[in-house]
Amino acid sequence: MAAYLRPKFARMFGRFRSPLRSLGFVALAIALFSCEGNTRLEWNLQNHSSEDVYVVHKAWDYSSVPPDTVSIAAGETYLLGVNDILGGNSTPWDPASFIDTLFVTSAAGALCTKDWTDTENWGIVSQEERRIPSNWSHTYFFRVEDADF
């Protein structure tokens, strides 16, 4: 009896196998293409000077917030800001695209002469976090040393 039901069962559901498979592929394609991914941007200041530095910074995204003043100890790295952008992008943005204001002074009061708006003065590390959906992270480092004051 089981042998008799198997061909009938296979014939009955065999008709639906191809449309169900096609529907599954369409659903998978829609799911993969609808996921846009993410790009994470992080801006850091590295204090490689021999003394503490004071940083006044303001980000474009937080224009209603007044500039923040922070003390960074010698040898420390401070996270200036983070921004997540919809869509995975392997190309790093210009580091100055996020920061509106950045003043760095030494503990003695000397102003940093290194131009933070020049992309060449930033270290950039880009990393693909995930392929599908595309997720990238770009970490920017602005390094200050004793010679920059």
Side-chain angles (χ1 to χ4, degrees):
M1 177 105 180
Y4 173 74
L5 289 178
R6 188 176 307 150
K8 188 176 184 180
F9 181 78
R11 270 184 287 157
M12 186 170 73
F13 287 103
R15 290 184 220 148
F16 296 111
R17 186 185 328 166
S18 182
L20 285 177
R21 185 178 292 166
S22 298
L23 183 63
F25 285 128
V26 169
L28 179 64
I30 290 171
L32 289 177
F33 287 116
S34 66
C35 299
E36 292 194 35
N38 186 57
T39 302
R40 185 173 188 84
L41 309 169
E42 295 182 3
W43 288 264
N44 296 280
L45 187 129
Q46 295 176 318
N47 181 9
H48 284 257
S49 69
S50 59
E51 60 185 357
D52 293 357
V53 296
Y54 297 98
V55 178
V56 177
H57 71 95
K58 184 176 179 181
W60 286 110
D61 287 358
Y62 310 113
S63 58
S64 62
V65 178
D68 197 13
T69 303
V70 180
S71 175
I72 304 171
E76 295 292 318
T77 298
Y78 176 73
L79 181 65
L80 295 170
V82 176
N83 200 352
D84 287 309
I85 308 296
L86 185 62
N89 191 344
S90 62
T91 306
W93 290 31
D94 179 35
S97 64
F98 177 76
I99 300 171
D100 177 39
T101 304
L102 181 64
F103 294 107
V104 182
T105 57
S106 68
L111 186 63
C112 178
T113 58
K114 192 175 199 177
D115 184 11
W116 63 271
T117 61
D118 184 3
T119 304
E120 297 297 318
N121 289 331
W122 290 81
I124 303 173
V125 176
S126 297
Q127 182 175 347
E128 184 178 32
E129 303 292 338
R130 195 169 53 207
R131 289 181 64 85
I132 299 176
S134 180
N135 281 317
W136 283 84
S137 66
H138 304 290
T139 307
Y140 306 92
F141 297 97
F142 186 73
R143 182 177 175 159
V144 294
E145 299 172 340
D146 288 330
D148 297 326
F149 297 98

